[in-house]
């Protein structure tokens, strides 16, 4: 694995997703990420069926080491400060004001270590009328205008994974990397701040551009109609996706694949504008056609005519696809007590080298002796009453 962040020490005092996701991304790039957790309970995302190693926790905590400290305790705070003195990055995703109560505010930590990149992740920002409000994934999606683009008006319910949480972690890592680059020049750290609201509004940039440039308020079907995206159920109950876009060659290929050579001579579907206006009618026609054959047959036909498509896989299928196997997307390792850990490798390759090595998420306090032991020994020898 190309460890492009080798030598960078990250302290992550994160919980749930946003902070841990940022730490994981840096760990994936080779940074030494030390996750600081509360004794006994740790990251609340750990809790699962009476244990502390949930699938949720595993998702965002690979390539890290875990230590336990209670920074409200004087001795633990002294150890924490020693960690800060030798760190490059500190990440927290507490509510505004909580870090200061834990003696982990930016001003205090950057006084201890002026080179420290301090990253603070919040729900709505550090100041303002909504700063103190609790924020979770769906809340941030809704406030940013993004959730309305996912909700099916005919069956209005929240769908999909924790997009806002994960993306905020990505944006935090992005900001940290920029600050690290600048520090190489100035030698001085930065305070990096990102909120879930800001992250999701930026991710939703296309909708705002359409509104401010053209006065168009986008809805859940706006982009799929323009991009001519479809999902089709096949005779075996499996689904596939089509993304036809605008090139006519794809439509000609589709007509041949479905054996309807005159379908796109119909005035409703003969050009891009017509297909956008009449997409609902086209969906009905195509749905009837695709319901006549199993998915495997359709994929072979579509591939043979160079039609942009893919099987609509679930998690049990996607990484069994020959292309996914070729790219070695699924990687695994063995944790010494928790057994086999399988995950999706980082997507970026460096000089053709894929990052296929992974360290399993740590158990709570797994690295206390390794990381904290030497610090406590040094502090003990410096104590006035040391013998």
């Amino acid at each position: 694995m190309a460890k492009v962040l080798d030598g960078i020490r990250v302290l992550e005092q994160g919980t749930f997703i946003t902070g841990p996701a940022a730490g994981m991304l840096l760990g994936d790039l080779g940074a030494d990420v030390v996750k600081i957790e509360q004794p006994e309970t740790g990251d609340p995302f750990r809790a699962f069926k009476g244990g502390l190693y949930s699938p949720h926790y595993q998702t965002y905590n690979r390539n890290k080491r875990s230590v336990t400290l209670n920074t409200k305790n004087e001795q633990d705070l002294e150890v924490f400060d020693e960690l800060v003195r030798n760190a490059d990055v500190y990440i927290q995703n507490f509510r505004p004001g909580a870090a200061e109560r834990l003696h982990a505010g930016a001003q205090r930590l950057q006084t201890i270590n002026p080179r420290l990149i301090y990253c603070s992740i919040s729900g709505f920002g550090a100041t303002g009328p909504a700063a103190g409000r609790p924020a979770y994934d769906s809340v941030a999606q809704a406030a940013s205008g993004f959730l309305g683009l996912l909700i099916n008006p005919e069956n209005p319910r929240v769908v999909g994974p924790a997009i806002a949480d994960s993306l905020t972690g990505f944006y935090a890592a992005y900001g940290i990397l920029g600050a690290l680059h600048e520090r190489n020049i100035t030698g001085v750290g930065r305070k990096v701040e990102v909120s879930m609201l800001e992250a999701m509004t930026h991710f939703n940039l296309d909708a705002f551009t359409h509104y401010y440039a053209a006065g168009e308020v986008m809805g859940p079907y706006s982009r799929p109609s323009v991009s001519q995206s479809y999902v089709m159920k096949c005779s075996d109950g499996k689904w596939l996706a089509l993304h036809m876009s605008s090139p006519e060659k794809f439509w000609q290929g589709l007509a041949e694949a479905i054996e309807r050579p005159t379908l796109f001579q119909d005035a409703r579907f003969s050009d891009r504008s017509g297909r956008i206006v009449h997409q609902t009618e086209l969906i009905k026609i195509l749905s009837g056609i695709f319901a006549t054959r199993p998915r495997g047959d359709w994929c072979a036909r579509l591939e043979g005519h160079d039609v942009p498509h893919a099987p609509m896989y679930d998690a049990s299928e996607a990484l069994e696809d020959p292309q996914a196997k070729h790219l070695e997307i699924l990687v695994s390792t063995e944790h010494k007590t928790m057994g086999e850990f399988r995950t999706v490798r980082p997507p970026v390759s460096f000089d053709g080298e894929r990052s296929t090595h992974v360290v399993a998420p740590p158990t709570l306090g797994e690295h206390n002796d390794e990381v904290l032991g030497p610090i406590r020994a040094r502090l003990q020898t410096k104590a006035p009453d040391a013998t």
Side-chain angles (χ1 to χ4, degrees):
M1 179 178 84
K3 295 187 175 183
V4 294
L5 290 184
D6 188 27
I8 297 296
R9 166 68 69 85
V10 177
L11 304 180
E12 178 225 296
Q13 206 165 7
T15 59
F16 296 105
I17 297 178
T18 55
M24 180 193 74
L25 290 167
L26 300 177
D28 285 352
L29 292 175
D32 174 20
V33 181
V34 176
K35 184 178 180 72
I36 300 170
E37 304 185 70
Q38 282 294 311
E40 298 184 10
T41 56
D43 183 338
F45 234 29
R46 282 182 173 274
F48 181 69
K49 295 183 177 180
L52 295 175
Y53 207 69
S54 73
H56 290 304
Y57 162 77
Q58 292 180 51
T59 300
Y60 300 101
N61 288 284
R62 67 189 184 199
N63 293 332
K64 299 179 185 180
R65 298 189 286 174
S66 170
V67 301
T68 55
L69 290 171
N70 178 1
T71 54
K72 292 181 179 180
N73 174 289
E74 185 176 342
Q75 291 181 328
D76 279 7
L77 180 60
E78 193 175 10
V79 174
F80 173 74
D81 289 351
E82 286 299 307
L83 285 172
V84 169
R85 283 189 179 90
N86 295 292
D88 298 286
V89 177
Y90 171 84
I91 302 169
Q92 55 91 347
N93 62 313
F94 305 127
R95 277 209 214 181
E100 285 72 20
R101 291 192 295 273
L102 295 171
H103 307 289
Q107 184 174 356
R108 181 178 182 277
L109 299 197
Q110 289 184 317
T111 298
I112 294 171
N113 179 0
R115 288 177 52 82
L116 185 71
I117 308 298
Y118 185 103
C119 179
S120 174
I121 304 170
S122 63
F124 290 98
T127 60
R133 285 171 52 191
Y136 287 97
D137 183 80
S138 299
V139 173
Q141 286 194 43
S144 68
F146 187 77
L147 187 61
L149 302 179
L150 299 182
I151 299 299
N152 180 344
E154 284 74 47
N155 182 22
R157 58 179 297 180
V158 175
V159 298
I163 299 172
D165 283 327
S166 299
L167 283 170
T168 303
F170 270 89
Y171 279 108
Y174 157 84
I176 289 167
L177 291 173
L180 281 170
H181 172 73
E182 183 192 51
R183 195 193 65 178
N184 287 337
I185 301 169
T186 66
V188 180
R190 283 271 191 182
K191 183 179 182 181
V192 177
E193 296 178 278
V194 61
S195 70
M196 295 175 71
L197 177 60
E198 291 166 293
M200 283 309 296
T201 51
H202 187 274
F203 185 71
N204 197 24
L205 185 60
D206 186 53
F208 293 111
T209 303
H210 275 78
Y211 175 69
Y212 290 110
E216 177 189 355
V217 176
M218 299 183 75
Y221 301 137
S222 298
R223 184 180 177 278
S225 66
V226 171
S227 65
Q228 287 292 288
S229 301
Y230 300 83
V231 289
M232 294 289 148
K233 189 176 183 179
C234 305
S235 65
D236 54 2
K238 297 180 178 180
W239 293 74
L240 62 79
L242 300 167
H243 189 117
M244 300 304 296
S245 191
S246 55
E248 286 300 317
K249 67 174 184 176
F250 294 147
W251 293 97
Q252 294 167 13
L254 178 60
E256 294 171 7
I258 64 176
E259 298 179 351
R260 300 293 193 279
T262 63
L263 176 59
F264 301 114
Q265 294 173 18
D266 185 316
R268 295 172 297 172
F269 315 130
S270 60
D271 60 20
R272 181 173 182 269
S273 60
R275 291 190 286 264
I276 291 173
V277 172
H278 298 285
Q279 188 180 36
T280 300
E281 297 155 75
L282 185 53
I283 288 172
K284 186 175 181 180
I285 293 170
L286 291 176
S287 295
I289 295 170
F290 276 89
T292 64
R293 294 177 181 270
R295 185 171 71 183
D297 286 1
W298 283 123
C299 287
R301 283 170 167 263
L302 294 167
E303 185 172 355
H305 290 89
D306 197 33
V307 179
H309 77 285
M312 197 169 82
Y313 288 138
D314 62 27
S316 71
E317 300 172 298
L319 302 188
E320 296 302 314
D321 184 275
Q323 184 63 23
K325 286 188 172 183
H326 169 77
L327 293 173
E328 301 175 284
I329 295 177
L330 177 63
V331 295
S332 66
T333 190
E334 195 78 15
H335 188 276
K336 60 185 178 182
T337 58
M338 304 307 294
E340 185 182 25
F341 171 69
R342 290 183 288 180
T343 189
V344 172
R345 68 166 176 81
V348 180
S349 298
F350 295 96
D351 295 328
E353 183 182 356
R354 296 171 185 153
S355 180
T356 58
H357 174 75
V358 65
V359 176
T363 54
L364 180 61
E366 181 177 337
H367 302 94
N368 279 347
D369 290 343
E370 177 182 313
V371 177
L372 304 184
I375 295 175
R376 288 195 165 112
R378 287 200 307 272
L379 293 173
Q380 184 76 19
T381 60
K382 292 179 182 178
D385 58 349
T387 56

